[in-house]
Each structure stands twice: as structure tokens, then as C-alpha cells.
């Protein structure tokens, strides 16, 4: 992030204390009005990209925390490479590789899937026979 930080909260129209749900709903609201398939080119593409960038940063708690920290540093007048060390963040735990069973299909061994007929007439969803809209007695 450079010296000129965009205000992602202002772009989405939410306060800095907004929850993930509020951020997501604000993004969906903007996309309903600014999406190129709906708007047919009336919206500036750079504005759409700013909205998508703001959501990409704020929707992830890790990137949102890093953004908030960079904004607070910028407001205090500290540069991005100041002498203040970054806070230690726990490393994500990596799980061991897993063996995934794979079934190899040879060509000519038949179709990849089988389609069987469906009997809609029987089962718990079936409606009893009616006579002029009334069930038989």
C-alpha cells in the first residue's frame, strides 16, 4: 500500500466498525446497481473496480486487519516502512498432505454415468387419485 490509501469503508458506504454481514450486503447493493450486465456500460469501469477492490480487502479478516493497521500508520504519519515492527501474527497451521482415492476409468468401459427412469407416480410425494378435485373415499 502506498502513500495514497483508498478509503475502502467510504467506497462501500460502511463505517469502520461494520460487521462482515454489513460489508457483504453493501457490496451486493452496489453490484446490483453497478454490474455491467445490469447497467449496460453506464457505470465507469474504474468505479466498479474500486468497489470490487474494497470488498476484496474488507471481506477477509486478515487483509482487513492489515489494511486497518496501514491506515492507522498513515494517519499517525508513519510510513509503510517505519521503524515500528509489525505485530506478530500466528502462522496458519498446515495440515499434512492427504491421499485422495482416485478411480481410473478406461475408455470403452461404458458411460461415465447411468440414467435410469424416474417413477413419479409412486412414493411419499404422490397425490392420491382424485375425482373432480375431491379424494376418493
Amino acid at each position: 500500500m502506498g502513500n495514497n490509501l483508498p478509503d475502502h469503508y467510504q467506497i462501500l458506504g460502511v463505517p469502520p466498525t461494520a460487521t462482515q454481514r454489513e460489508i457483504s450486503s453493501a457490496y451486493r447493493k452496489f453490484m446490483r446497481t453497478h454490474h455491467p450486465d445490469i447497467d449496460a456500460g453506464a457505470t465507469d469501469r474504474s468505479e466498479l473496480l474500486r468497489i470490487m477492490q474494497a470488498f476484496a480487502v474488507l471481506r477477509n479478516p486478515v487483509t482487513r486487519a492489515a489494511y486497518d493497521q496501514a491506515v492507522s500508520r498513515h494517519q499517525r504519519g508513519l510510513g509503510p516502512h517505519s521503524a515500528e515492527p509489525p505485530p506478530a501474527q500466528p502462522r496458519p497451521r498446515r495440515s499434512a498432505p492427504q491421499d485422495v482415492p482416485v478411480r481410473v476409468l478406461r475408455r470403452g468401459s461404458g458411460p461415465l454415468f447411468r440414467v435410469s427412469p424416474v417413477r413419479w407416480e409412486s412414493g411419499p410425494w404422490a397425490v392420491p387419485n382424485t375425482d373432480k378435485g375431491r379424494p376418493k373415499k
Side-chain angles (χ1 to χ4, degrees), residues 28 30 56 134 136:
R28 285 193 302 271
F30 277 115
R134 290 184 232 136
K136 287 188 176 181

Side-chain angles (χ1 to χ4, degrees), residues 2-136:
N3 293 338
N4 220 358
L5 290 174
D7 189 2
H8 294 311
Y9 295 107
Q10 183 183 13
I11 291 170
L12 290 180
V14 294
T17 58
T19 63
Q20 292 297 112
R21 180 175 285 181
E22 291 171 335
I23 290 170
S24 295
S25 65
Y27 173 72
R28 285 193 302 271
K29 178 186 78 168
F30 277 115
M31 290 310 288
R32 278 188 220 113
T33 58
H34 291 79
H35 196 277
D37 291 343
I38 296 171
D39 203 7
T43 301
D44 185 20
R45 183 179 174 148
S46 65
E47 183 179 355
L48 179 65
L49 292 176
R50 285 182 30 230
I51 293 168
M52 291 171 28
Q53 174 74 24
F55 181 66
V57 170
L58 297 180
R59 79 177 195 181
N60 185 347
V62 175
T63 58
R64 181 179 180 182
Y67 169 75
D68 289 340
Q69 183 181 24
V71 167
S72 68
R73 281 182 170 199
H74 188 274
Q75 288 173 347
R76 288 184 289 165
L78 300 174
H81 304 292
S82 66
E84 183 180 312
Q89 294 182 359
R91 290 185 178 177
R93 298 185 81 160
R94 292 187 182 200
S95 60
Q98 297 178 352
D99 289 331
V100 178
V102 177
R103 183 175 169 204
V104 178
L105 296 176
R106 293 185 176 86
R107 287 195 157 175
S109 65
L112 294 177
F113 57 91
R114 181 177 21 178
V115 178
S116 59
V118 178
R119 296 185 182 180
W120 294 102
E121 298 84 24
S122 62
W125 54 82
V127 179
N129 291 339
T130 59
D131 183 34
K132 295 183 183 177
R134 290 184 232 136
K136 287 188 176 181

